[in-house]
Amino acid sequence: MTRPRSRPPATAAGLPALQRRTSAVLVVSQILGGLGVAVGIALAPMLAAEVSGSEALSGLAPTASVVGTALLSLPLAALMTTRGRRAGLVLAYLIGALGGGLVVLATMLSSFPLLLLGMAAFGAGSLAGLQARFAAADLVGPERRGRAISTVVWATTIGSVLGPNISAPASRLFRGTPVPEAAGPYLCSGTAFLVAALVVALAMRPDPLLTARALAQEGPSGPPKRSLAAGIAAVRESPMARLALVTVAVSHTAMVSIMVMTPVDLGRHGAGLQLIGLVISGHIAGMYAFSPVMGWLADRFGRLAVIGLAVGLLSCAALLAGTAGPRHGQTAAGLFVLGLGWSAGMIAGSALLTDAVPRSAQAAVQGLSDLTMNAAAGIGGATAGVIVAQWGYGPLNAIGAALLLPVAALTLRRSLRRPGPAVG
């Protein structure tokens, strides 16, 4: 039996067509992956409470997913460094699908430890979505990198909006079967991950990272670097990379910390589940729907300008949400602006991070970035509940705004030292 013929290596002249095809593949896989993640994360706390028998343990399931995303970041980045984006994304989606299956098995066996293990593996689906934004930037120059990243981020909107809305129908599909209704959607999530893996495996040829590396001819950058130490060294050598890493981590941490406690604060002020759902939907729209605008701004006016915009938006969001009290409309506005600020920080920071390090170190640095942002957000999300319990929702927002001060200081310092070209 003969093996399928691979696509011929790309040339510089064929690069625009290859980038368009790669972007289309990433958009499709991102929709499928985002759908799977949204279905699973929406039900995680409820399923954890059901399996463990304790509402106090319900937050451990989404936390396990975040931890899994962080722990898998570096191994998958190392795989991408040597084998390319396709191998890393396919493996991430397959691990996510395995995690969905383990969640179902854990529910059938009423095993809480197995549930947490399954949710940790399920986090690989989120990691695939995060790494896809970097894959979109492999084949474009700095002048279009922000828009390339933002296109893939935007595709997440579709899955994120559809996911929670199909959870109930997905549960009913398994009525009368050995699979518990509450766990049924995780089989749907696993199927979405498997289809995403198949799309990437079959259609992402030639591999964008390996192609870009072959065409770059960056002699001084040396062989690909895959270790954590190499990623840390590359960031240490570049002030812009340090700023980018801090921007992504702080933007994500501030957003997660405020967002996870907003439903609690709304409930305390009399909001029902429908209103809470609308507020969170508006927040998700802010995160993803306007990402093409943020990408265009990052390419047109520079990464530093959009990072400054992110600091302003996130600070404004903290002020609006933190002082809203019973004014639900103000809370909704704050959460929408919070999503916009996250989008600006994530896209501009990701583009700047890719700009600032040699191509040979990009995958290692990108893995380090995802590890840092997810670890920081996990700590922030876990700490947020303690802060609200001790001091309240307003102080939580004030602390979230205070986290932005180092980003603002570093951005101002780099802007004054290097006005530079639009991309930086």
Side-chain angles (χ1 to χ4, degrees):
M1 184 174 179
T2 60
R3 297 177 61 184
R5 185 177 301 173
S6 60
R7 293 183 187 273
T11 62
L15 211 54
L18 176 58
Q19 167 58 19
R20 288 192 295 271
R21 185 169 67 248
T22 300
S23 181
V25 172
L26 290 171
V27 165
V28 172
S29 66
Q30 194 78 337
I31 291 171
L32 291 165
L35 182 66
V37 169
V39 169
I41 297 302
L43 296 175
M46 179 188 70
L47 196 59
E50 179 179 319
V51 172
S52 68
S54 171
E55 288 190 359
L57 299 177
S58 62
L60 290 181
T63 300
S65 179
V66 173
V67 170
T69 302
L71 292 178
L72 290 167
S73 297
L74 291 176
L76 284 172
L79 176 64
M80 289 183 187
T81 300
T82 55
R83 300 287 300 276
R85 300 290 186 190
R86 183 173 67 251
L89 291 176
V90 168
L91 180 59
Y93 281 128
L94 291 178
I95 294 174
L98 173 63
L102 288 176
V103 168
V104 175
L105 180 61
T107 307
M108 297 174 69
L109 298 176
S110 297
S111 172
F112 190 60
L114 184 60
L115 175 69
L116 295 182
L117 177 62
M119 287 303 303
F122 190 83
S126 297
L127 179 59
L130 291 172
Q131 283 292 316
R133 76 190 193 278
F134 291 123
D138 285 333
L139 296 172
V140 296
E143 72 282 354
R144 291 190 57 84
R145 194 164 281 155
R147 278 166 284 184
I149 291 172
S150 68
T151 298
V152 173
V153 173
W154 172 85
T156 311
T157 311
I158 301 173
S160 297
V161 171
L162 287 178
N165 293 304
I166 68 170
S167 296
S171 296
R172 290 194 292 270
L173 284 176
F174 297 92
R175 188 171 295 168
T177 71
V179 177
E181 286 189 39
Y186 282 88
L187 286 181
C188 297
S189 291
T191 302
F193 289 155
L194 288 175
V195 176
L198 186 64
V199 169
V200 172
L202 295 179
M204 191 179 283
R205 297 172 182 271
D207 187 272
L209 179 60
L210 299 183
T211 299
R213 191 180 294 155
L215 294 176
Q217 298 179 347
E218 283 189 311
S221 68
K225 302 175 178 65
R226 52 181 289 172
S227 68
L228 172 61
I232 294 174
V235 171
R236 187 185 298 122
E237 292 171 3
S238 171
M240 285 296 193
R242 294 197 295 272
L243 170 58
L245 189 67
V246 171
T247 297
V248 170
V250 170
S251 299
H252 194 58
T253 302
M255 184 277 292
V256 169
S257 301
I258 295 172
M259 182 269 294
V260 296
M261 296 311 299
T262 299
V264 175
D265 185 68
L266 286 169
R268 286 177 176 176
H269 290 99
L273 291 178
Q274 184 174 4
L275 178 58
I276 291 173
L278 288 174
V279 171
I280 298 302
S281 294
H283 170 66
I284 292 172
M287 288 176 65
Y288 298 119
F290 295 88
S291 55
V293 176
M294 300 303 176
W296 179 82
L297 290 173
D299 288 341
R300 176 65 179 83
F301 297 102
R303 320 304 191 214
L304 297 181
V306 179
I307 291 173
L309 175 63
V311 170
L313 288 170
L314 291 168
S315 300
C316 180
L319 177 63
L320 285 170
T323 61
R327 296 180 291 275
H328 300 322
Q330 183 174 328
T331 302
L335 265 288
F336 175 74
V337 176
L338 185 72
L340 288 178
W342 176 89
S343 181
M346 181 64 63
I347 290 170
S350 299
L352 181 59
L353 188 70
T354 304
D355 296 339
V357 296
R359 190 175 297 277
S360 60
Q362 281 178 0
V365 169
Q366 290 158 358
L368 174 64
S369 172
D370 283 349
L371 169 64
T372 304
M373 65 176 275
N374 282 289
I379 295 170
T383 307
V386 177
I387 294 172
V388 170
Q390 294 293 323
W391 297 297
Y393 183 67
L396 172 66
N397 281 269
I399 293 171
L403 292 175
L404 300 166
L405 291 175
V407 180
L410 287 171
T411 303
L412 180 61
R413 181 181 180 186
R414 299 312 309 172
S415 298
L416 292 175
R417 287 192 174 188
R418 181 188 173 185
V423 293

